[in-house]
Amino acid sequence: MNRQALLPLVILLWGGLWACSAPVSMSTSARISAPGDQELKNGIYWYQKGCLRKAMDHLNAAHEMYCLADHPVGVARSLTSLGNVYRQAGDPENAGYFYDAAIAMARRCDDRQMVAQTLVNKVALLIDRDDRSAAEVLLEEARVLSQESGSVFAAVLNYQAVLMMKAQRNDQAALLLDQAESVAAGNIRATLHYTRGRLLMQTGKDSRARNFFEQALEMDRQAGFSRGMAADLFAMADSYESSGEYDAALSCLERSLKIYALLEDRQRVLAGLDHLEGLARTTGSDIRVTLHVINQWLAGEAVDAICR
């Protein structure tokens, strides 16, 4: 499970796979002062909780209010946020359209930080598609535009590290992550810890990797970033299994899939259930109760479903 994919770099920067990362809080440029700002903030809140339908409703409302008030910067913010929701919902085509529209609007406003943020969002989409050369071009522009903004600049460096890892240039990836950590601010640190963990796993250091996943998990708990927690636990399960610690892997994967089920993310749950059952057979564990509650929650029968 990729945490880079969760990186909501709208006016936040967080995050989940090479395109699955975590969130960071709203930037100082997003004060509640213009029509649409409160709806944008609400949309980002529900995105971070993992409730994409609620996020979409609020972000569409923000977009409408910004358009009605002729607030171009707000329009760009709402468009890139909507792009993030489409991407996380598994609709990369629409995500790309919204990112491109946001970049065009931000360029017309000469909002360099908004351009940089949206370029980084689109980079995640390109990494999903394994279009590394296009991702590198956008990252270089984002790097130039974002050097005055710690959180965005750190995200640029994080994705550059991911590209180095894909090219098996692990030493360069580690140097980029060191640089990112030196400038990082806010919850982007959880994403950096996640990427560091994946780098360590790639180099066979599973135990050290787990320490970084655990730190990312604690940061996401404190931030209330449910999707980030699920991605961290999925990665921890991977690291435990790689080390032959199957009971611990089963426990982490159970916790991860339960969060995804409560977030009504059927696709991720179904993708992990066969593996969960395989670990249960390996360890001789009885997971009937876990399967029961997961199926119950996916059927919409959670008592207090957060995304309703």
Side-chain angles (χ1 to χ4, degrees):
M1 187 66 56
N2 191 331
R3 176 193 180 89
Q4 278 16 291
L6 303 177
L7 189 63
L9 276 165
V10 270
I11 301 182
L12 55 152
L13 269 167
W14 244 4
L17 335 180
W18 296 132
C20 168
S21 280
V24 241
S25 56
M26 290 184 65
S27 74
T28 55
S29 64
R31 299 186 182 92
I32 306 304
S33 58
D37 282 352
Q38 186 60 55
E39 288 293 345
L40 179 68
K41 183 178 180 181
N42 291 341
I44 290 170
Y45 170 82
W46 287 113
Y47 181 99
Q48 293 177 186
K49 288 293 182 185
C51 301
L52 300 183
R53 284 177 293 181
K54 277 190 172 182
M56 183 74 78
D57 289 343
H58 286 288
L59 294 172
N60 276 320
H63 182 242
E64 292 166 9
M65 295 173 74
Y66 285 132
C67 287
L68 188 62
D70 191 28
H71 192 290
V73 173
V75 171
R77 290 172 180 159
S78 61
L79 288 170
T80 193
S81 300
L82 284 163
N84 289 333
V85 175
Y86 277 113
R87 177 171 169 268
Q88 189 58 33
D91 188 349
E93 185 174 10
N94 274 321
Y97 292 146
F98 274 83
Y99 289 148
D100 288 342
I103 291 167
M105 180 65 73
R107 290 195 196 281
R108 288 197 290 269
C109 300
D110 196 28
D111 188 329
R112 294 165 61 87
Q113 290 308 305
M114 191 70 251
V115 173
Q117 288 174 343
T118 309
L119 287 171
V120 175
N121 288 352
K122 188 173 180 182
V123 163
L125 193 66
L126 294 170
I127 291 176
D128 290 344
R129 297 170 173 171
D130 202 29
D131 190 346
R132 302 182 203 176
S133 59
E136 288 170 358
V137 171
L138 295 192
L139 279 174
E140 178 56 25
E141 182 181 358
R143 184 190 64 78
V144 172
L145 291 172
S146 68
Q147 292 192 51
E148 296 177 1
S149 175
S151 58
V152 183
F153 189 42
V156 171
L157 295 168
N158 175 75
Y159 277 120
Q160 287 179 326
V162 168
L163 291 175
M164 290 298 103
M165 291 166 64
K166 282 181 167 288
Q168 300 296 318
R169 295 159 68 179
N170 295 326
D171 290 343
Q172 288 173 276
L175 290 173
L176 286 163
L177 289 174
D178 289 343
Q179 187 179 357
E181 289 172 4
S182 72
V183 299
N187 292 327
I188 186 64
R189 292 185 180 279
T191 294
L192 298 177
H193 279 68
Y194 179 94
T195 304
R196 178 81 69 174
R198 282 298 184 190
L199 174 61
L200 288 166
M201 281 197 68
Q202 185 163 299
T203 55
K205 301 178 178 68
D206 297 328
S207 178
R208 286 187 60 200
R210 207 149 46 239
N211 291 335
F212 283 93
F213 293 143
E214 288 170 350
Q215 291 174 49
L217 176 62
E218 183 55 34
M219 292 175 187
D220 286 332
R221 279 200 194 107
Q222 292 175 9
F225 184 42
S226 300
R227 281 187 182 273
M229 288 186 278
D232 299 330
L233 286 164
F234 200 104
M236 288 171 63
D238 192 14
S239 69
Y240 276 121
E241 185 174 7
S242 182
S243 300
E245 299 176 64
Y246 300 114
D247 283 312
L250 175 66
S251 173
C252 290
L253 187 56
E254 276 187 305
R255 291 154 61 193
S256 175
L257 296 183
K258 283 180 179 178
I259 294 173
Y260 281 128
L262 286 168
L263 296 178
E264 301 175 6
D265 193 333
R266 178 178 298 274
Q267 183 177 358
R268 283 193 171 87
V269 174
L270 295 180
L273 278 179
D274 285 345
H275 199 65
L276 183 71
E277 292 174 333
L279 284 170
R281 288 192 295 270
T282 298
T283 59
S285 301
D286 185 347
I287 58 169
R288 283 177 291 184
V289 170
T290 296
L291 294 176
H292 169 75
V293 297
I294 284 176
N295 286 323
Q296 187 176 48
W297 294 339
L298 286 179
E301 298 175 11
V303 173
D304 186 21
I306 186 174
C307 293
R308 278 186 201 152

